[in-house]
Structures are given as structure tokens and as C-alpha cells.
Amino acid sequence: MNQEMPIWRRTIPESRDKAQSKMLTWVVGVLLMFGAFAPLIAAAKLSLPLWPLGRPFLFSAAFAALVLALRAATPAASAIGFLICFILAQAPAEWSRYTPGAVARPLWPALLVVFILTFAATRYGRARKESRGLSESRRGRRASQIVANLGVAGLFAAAGHYEGCIVALAEAAADTVSSEIGQATGHPARLLTTGKVVAPGTNGGVTLAGTLAGLAAAAIVVGIGTMHLLSWRPLGTMWIAAAAGLFFDSLLGATLERRGLLGNDLVNFASTLFAASIASVLR
């Protein structure tokens, strides 16, 4: 039996959306590849032992394989996830021994929590979301979606901006959880800019249940990301930055995305970048 082609439900022209996603994937993907393997190249030039990279490499490969096995992402998306995980797993903890005064800050636990939260939220109320045409594809997330949600975290980690990386992860978790929970409950959403009642899944629409779930998810990720610190002071600032990114995402959705100027991938990337930048300024 021939399957029907999926109906395009977005306001942005499909060709423009695909072009934006493709550009984002290639540009950020190349930067992530450089960020993942730059320490390896630098260590080789300095004749440093490469064995510290063994554990991060194996962990990242296992993580990517798990994501692929659970059909949470396509093969290409899993490969991008490997690069991001490799960056977070090796920097700066594994290489701090070579840098006098460096502090080992484990970043991968926050990434793992993001995966657990988003995986659970995506599957919560899946049958109801599928009946409304709002569910994620059963083939898993595409490479552009992984880049859009986690690319900023990988780039900030590669650049050594710890707070920005954690906040980008927290915003990505908050955005996905809020959208998935809001759509699963079926409660009417309200447009962020006008307060007008709109259908669940509408760009820029927010629900109370989804927003609270998203803010809680951000708090969990920030808490896991800062659990090794002796002070809890940064937690509040980082959570506020993640929350600001969540509402910025809805603002872009209610304006530029609804007008067909930006696709969802660029909106998500811009929102995580906005949140991470706020965290870097306020640290």
C-alpha cells in the first residue's frame, strides 16, 4: 500500500524551511567536528598522550548507539549527537590535568538528563499527539533538530564557556518538554504576544502545564549541571537565563515563525544561543 505524503502544516514555505535547516546543519556541524577533534590534534602536536580521550570516545559512541537503538534520532542525527557528547565528555574534565589551575567540570551528566527528559516527554501522550498530527516522527529526530537544540551547548563547551553550555542544555530541555507536555494535555494554548486562545501546537502558543513542566525541566538540568559546585549561587542565575530563552523561543514563534520568515530549527537554535549568551554575560 502506498503511503500518503505528510501534509505540510507550517506557515514557512517548505523549500525555505529545508534550506535554512540544511545551512544550519552544515555550518554548525563543521564547527562541532572541529571542536570535537581540536584537542586531539593539539595533543598530538604537543606529543601528549592520547589515552585520556579513550573514555570520552567510548562513552560518546555508546550514547549515540543507544539513541539510535531507541529510535530517538536518525543515523545522521546520532552522528551529530556523538560529536556533541564527545565535546562535553572530554572538556574540560579529561584535559584539566594538562592545564595548571584548570577545574574539572563534568558536562556530560547534564546532557544525559536532557536526553532522558526529552525522550520521556516526547513519548508522553504519544497516541493523542499522533491523532492531532503533532507527534514527532517515529524515525526519531533529524540531524538539523539535534543541531538546533544541542549545537549551541556543544559550541560553548568547546569554547570553554561552562555556564553557557549548561544553560543551552537547560533551555533545550525546557523547550521540548513544554511543547510536548502542552500538546499532550490538549489544553488550549494562548499566543504569547496577544493572549489569544490558539490550538495546541500553534507557533508561539503557550500552556500553563507546558510552561511549568518546561521550567521544572530547566531547573533539573541546571541542578545536575552545577551539582559539583560548592556554591548554589549560580543556579538561580542560570535557571533565569534558561527561562528567558524559553520565552524568547515562544516570542520568535509568535512573530517571525508565524510570518513564515524563520523555520523551527532556526528558532530553536536562536533561543538556545540567546539563553547561553545571557548566562555568559551574567556569570
Side-chain angles (χ1 to χ4, degrees):
M1 181 181 297
N2 294 330
Q3 295 182 347
E4 295 183 0
M5 294 295 292
I7 300 175
W8 186 255
R9 301 177 182 274
R10 302 176 184 177
T11 54
I12 184 174
E14 186 174 7
S15 58
R16 181 184 301 171
D17 182 72
K18 289 183 176 180
Q20 291 181 0
S21 296
K22 185 176 181 179
M23 177 196 67
L24 181 67
T25 302
W26 276 103
V27 172
V28 178
V30 170
L31 293 176
L32 289 173
M33 186 175 296
F34 176 79
F37 294 104
L40 174 64
I41 298 173
K45 288 184 177 180
L46 295 174
S47 299
L48 295 175
L50 302 180
W51 60 262
L53 277 178
R55 184 167 56 182
F57 182 90
L58 292 176
F59 172 78
S60 302
F63 179 76
L66 175 63
V67 171
L68 185 61
L70 292 174
R71 294 186 178 181
T74 64
S78 298
I80 295 293
F82 165 80
L83 293 176
I84 296 172
C85 186
F86 191 40
I87 292 173
L88 270 62
Q90 67 173 289
E94 293 297 330
W95 293 96
S96 61
R97 71 193 68 196
Y98 299 125
T99 306
V103 179
R105 293 170 169 173
L107 301 176
W108 64 264
L111 176 64
L112 186 60
V113 171
V114 171
F115 170 72
I116 294 173
L117 290 173
T118 55
F119 183 80
T122 300
R123 278 150 182 76
Y124 175 74
R126 188 168 194 168
R128 180 181 297 177
K129 288 182 285 190
E130 283 182 336
S131 66
R132 298 170 180 163
L134 300 175
S135 177
E136 289 283 346
S137 171
R138 287 187 176 270
R139 293 177 298 176
R141 290 183 172 245
R142 305 184 309 275
S144 63
Q145 291 175 301
I146 299 300
V147 165
N149 286 280
L150 302 178
V152 170
L155 294 178
F156 270 66
H161 293 288
Y162 169 78
E163 292 85 355
C165 172
I166 296 299
V167 169
L169 291 174
E171 196 283 330
D175 178 39
T176 300
V177 170
S178 63
S179 298
E180 295 293 340
I181 297 300
Q183 292 171 8
T185 59
H187 297 160
R190 290 188 178 274
L191 205 61
L192 182 65
T193 51
T194 63
K196 179 183 177 181
V197 176
V198 293
T202 300
N203 295 333
V206 297
T207 64
L208 179 60
T211 300
L212 293 178
L215 293 176
I220 292 173
V221 175
V222 170
I224 294 297
T226 58
M227 63 181 179
H228 66 287
L229 299 179
L230 299 178
S231 172
W232 286 78
R233 182 178 178 182
L235 193 152
T237 301
M238 294 168 71
W239 179 78
I240 291 174
L246 175 63
F247 286 102
F248 184 68
D249 182 280
S250 297
L251 178 62
L252 290 180
T255 53
L256 299 182
E257 190 173 5
R258 280 178 64 85
R259 296 173 185 171
L261 299 177
L262 289 182
N264 187 250
D265 288 335
L266 274 185
V267 168
N268 288 340
F269 184 83
S271 301
T272 53
L273 180 60
F274 178 78
S277 300
I278 290 180
S280 298
V281 170
L282 295 181
R283 66 177 180 175

